[in-house]
Amino acid sequence: GIRSVGAYVPERVVTNAELEAEFGFEPGWIERRSGILKRHYAADDEGTSDLAVMAARRAIEKADVALSDIDLVVVGTFTPDFTCPSTACLVQHKLGLDAPAMDVHAACSGFMYALVTAAQFVATGNSKMAMVIGADINSRIVEPGNRGTAPLFGDGAGAVLLESGGRDQGLVCYQLGADGSGSSLLDRPVGGTSRPLTPDLVAAGQHYMKMDGRNVFKWAVQAVTETIAHILKSADVTVDDVKLFVLHQANIRIINSAMKSLGIPGDKIWTNLDLVGNTSGASIPLVLNELDEQNQLERGDLVLMCGFGAGLTWGTGLYRW
């Protein structure tokens, strides 16, 4: 069961008008292509762990639990503070927790991968309360002025505290998937052990995220449609049985296309990408936090969450609140 939810977005707000003026994007193009109006960028002195800690602290405050109650930290991120150590270890230290900590790297599916991973520990009794976080600072890895990536992404973090709940709570059904044959569709070509950073590669901008937008869009619509249909069938539920669908907030056109294919009405879809952009691993918990704070979910409601992104990866879960 999810005990509480917390979220954090940086103070700095970057509007479409700012990006259009700075980089010469066609006025209105960003909103038409993505549905995004603005996004938040981390301050120069903020790292991914800082955003994660802020979200985690808010979840802890809402739950009114002692730090000693938390015995596991799982962070979904593909923008870690450092290659080593893990961002989760930094979060564990900054929060003052006595708990094992690990990162899960699945890009925009990161939160769902982290949630399912932590759920195994809780379900088997190996964790009494797990802190699950999705956090990313995308503004540091997108290429400034690249109209295919720069306008789409924002920064943020969301966290949930996961504990043993009632027999009718938790993940009813889930699917994690990967297709590494599509790894080149969305990647950072250099900076790892295969192609270490060099001054020339940095000067050429090869350390920034690269995305084949057209083919990522096609894959995402198909992947989302297939995995949601699979989950509904496996759980023996219909669209009508699900209170809300919470998809990774990548692009409003991806969400609308998938929902149309599945016959899901608009009032069952919750989005916030117009205000925060694509926050990668943070997107689903940011939405969950909104739903929680606005009392949109009641005990027993079914929520279907679906993350999808680089890897290529996807993670979908039908969750009973």
Side-chain angles (χ1 to χ4, degrees), residues 270-306:
W270 193 277
T271 61
N272 66 357
L273 82 164
D274 56 327
L275 303 179
V276 297
N278 181 341
T279 56
S280 296
S283 70
I284 290 176
L286 282 175
V287 172
L288 291 180
N289 184 69
E290 284 190 14
L291 295 176
D292 181 57
E293 292 192 338
Q294 297 183 32
N295 297 314
Q296 294 292 323
L297 295 171
E298 298 178 356
R299 176 71 181 271
D301 285 342
L302 286 174
V303 184
L304 193 145
M305 299 174 278
C306 177

Side-chain angles (χ1 to χ4, degrees), residues 78-79 105-109 138 141-142 148-149 152-153 179-190 206 208-217 219-220 248 250 254 278 280 308-313:
F78 80 137
T79 58
H105 183 138
C108 300
S109 306
N138 298 304
I141 66 170
V142 295
T149 56
L152 306 180
F153 291 89
D179 179 8
S181 68
S183 60
S184 63
L185 294 180
L186 206 171
D187 65 358
R188 294 179 70 189
V190 304
Q206 290 298 299
Y208 290 123
M209 179 197 299
K210 310 295 180 183
M211 182 172 70
D212 181 344
R214 184 181 300 274
N215 284 315
V216 166
F217 180 92
W219 167 80
H248 164 51
I254 293 175
N278 181 341
S280 296
F308 50 92
L312 298 166
T313 61

